[in-house]
């Protein structure tokens, strides 16, 4: 082939080769669209897409329950139906019991990168769920028990509580009757009196109007709410080094914002008080036992379901 023809050929191929370098990833949220997690991630996604032109783009397909049920998003990531999901481990325990262990972390996401927890999580997530665990963007956030009826000690006997796997072992130990629902079904369950309360983080109860049906919050909170971005492992491995480096930089920038939850959570607690939600508190010794019981029952559940990995996870995630 002569030089002129070779150059013409290279010229013809170049635009196509450049265009092929841009990859678009399908992004789904397992939490509702009008909720605070999607709102938190949207500005980040816009910046991602602005800076990633020609390299990597996120295409927001939508959220649960509209696009698919919350508890099916994990499987969609595993199978590659979705490339990236905004999700929490409690919604994909069907793939592996370890998914729900991240709520038990007592060290920050940044510390988890430093002490090897993040890499260990990825070993499990890669092997068992065909997922790359990209970034935890919610932390510093306790869960609470919210009730329509008053209790005066940590005893849920005779009460029906809405749960996800997050709360199952703890609420069961406290004597509750358990009813699992996705976030989208909590309001109706409260409205119809199907439940007397629910587990949920300190923030976000106004997003779907649950405050209208909530009379009490039990203090103290327990655990550490986890919401993360997870990616289909095949899609992750298909990325070029430049795309991976860009993605890594973007997710670290998202993680670097995690301190905002501290302030936000304090504001949400004030807003709950203003909405007339009363706090139920215990004496100091009872409160301490309550939180210890939460961790004991939580780890017992993970240890039983995943005896090979739970001890190491516990060492890496505990203080
Ligand atoms: O739906 C839930 O109560 C739940 O499991 C969860 C997990 C993390 C953040 C918010 C809710």
């Amino acid at each position: 082939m002569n030089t002129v023809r070779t150059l013409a050929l290279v010229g013809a191929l170049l635009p196509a080769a450049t265009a092929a370098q841009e990859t678009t990833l399908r992004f789904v949220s397992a939490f509702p669209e009008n909720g605070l997690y999607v709102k938190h991630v949207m500005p980040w996604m816009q910046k991602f897409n602005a800076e990633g032109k020609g390299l990597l783009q996120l295409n927001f397909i939508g959220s649960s329950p509209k696009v698919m049920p919350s508890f099916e998003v994990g499987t969609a990531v595993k199978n590659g139906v979705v490339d990236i999901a905004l999700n929490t481990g409690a919604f994909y325990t069907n793939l592996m019991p370890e998914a729900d262990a991240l709520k038990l972390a007592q060290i920050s996401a940044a510390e988890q990168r430093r002490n090897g927890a993040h890499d260990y999580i990825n070993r499990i997530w890669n092997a068992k769920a065909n997922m790359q665990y990209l970034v935890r963007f919610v932390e510093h956030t306790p869960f609470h028990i919210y009730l329509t009826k008053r209790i005066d000690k940590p005893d849920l006997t005779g009460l029906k509580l809405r749960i996800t796997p997050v709360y199952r072992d703890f609420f069961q130990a406290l004597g509750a009757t358990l009813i699992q629902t996705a976030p989208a079904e909590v309001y109706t369950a409260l409205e119809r009196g199907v439940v007397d309360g629910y587990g949920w983080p300190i923030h976000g109860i106004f997003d779907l109007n649950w405050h209208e049906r909530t009379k009490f919050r039990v203090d103290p909170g327990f655990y550490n709410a986890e919401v993360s971005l997870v990616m289909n492992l095949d899609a992750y491995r298909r990325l070029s080094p430049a795309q991976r480096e860009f993605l890594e930089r973007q997710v670290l920038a998202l993680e670097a914002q995690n301190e905002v939850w501290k302030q936000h959570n304090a504001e949400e607690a004030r807003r709950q008080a203003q909405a007339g939600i009363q706090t139920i508190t215990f004496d100091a010794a009872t409160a301490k036992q309550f939180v210890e019981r939460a961790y004991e029952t939580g780890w017992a559940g993970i240890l039983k379901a995943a005896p090979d990995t739970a001890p190491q996870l516990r060492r890496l995630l505990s203080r």
Side-chain angles (χ1 to χ4, degrees), residues 105-240:
Q106 294 172 320
I107 60 169
S108 71
E111 286 172 276
Q112 289 175 43
R113 287 187 192 269
R114 289 194 290 269
N115 82 345
H118 185 89
D119 289 338
Y120 188 62
I121 290 165
N122 255 320
R123 269 181 37 201
I124 302 170
W125 264 236
N126 284 189
K128 295 198 173 180
N130 195 41
M131 278 183 195
Q132 184 71 12
Y133 183 75
L134 294 177
V135 60
R136 178 174 184 154
F137 69 89
V138 176
E139 55 176 327
H140 313 304
T141 298
F143 292 100
H144 285 263
I145 301 172
Y146 295 90
L147 294 171
T148 59
K149 296 171 181 166
R150 185 184 281 285
I151 55 171
D152 50 21
K153 55 183 193 301
D155 182 355
L156 300 174
T157 305
L159 295 177
K160 290 170 288 184
L161 263 81
R162 173 271 173 185
I163 59 145
T164 67
V166 165
Y167 324 94
R168 182 179 292 130
D169 295 310
F170 184 37
F171 290 6
Q172 182 153 7
L174 295 174
T177 298
L178 311 177
I179 295 161
Q180 176 156 305
T181 85
E185 289 145 24
V186 174
Y187 188 90
T188 309
L190 287 164
E191 189 182 34
R192 296 189 181 157
V194 172
V195 296
D196 305 306
Y198 55 96
W200 191 258
I202 186 68
H203 57 216
I205 73 156
F206 294 90
D207 293 351
L208 297 173
N209 297 318
W210 302 343
H211 65 288
E212 293 172 0
R213 306 273 165 183
T214 305
K215 294 211 174 85
F216 304 100
R217 184 188 73 240
V218 177
D219 281 1
F222 50 92
Y223 302 153
N224 185 356
E226 170 265 330
V227 186
S228 302
L229 301 184
V230 289
M231 183 167 180
N232 172 267
L233 187 57
D234 308 294
Y236 182 75
R237 291 196 170 141
R238 276 197 300 272
L239 297 177
S240 70

Side-chain angles (χ1 to χ4, degrees), residues 285-304:
T286 305
K288 187 163 172 280
Q289 274 169 18
F290 176 80
V291 174
E292 282 168 3
R293 188 116 192 256
Y295 281 93
E296 274 163 25
T297 54
W299 276 119
I302 307 286
L303 281 157
K304 191 164 174 236

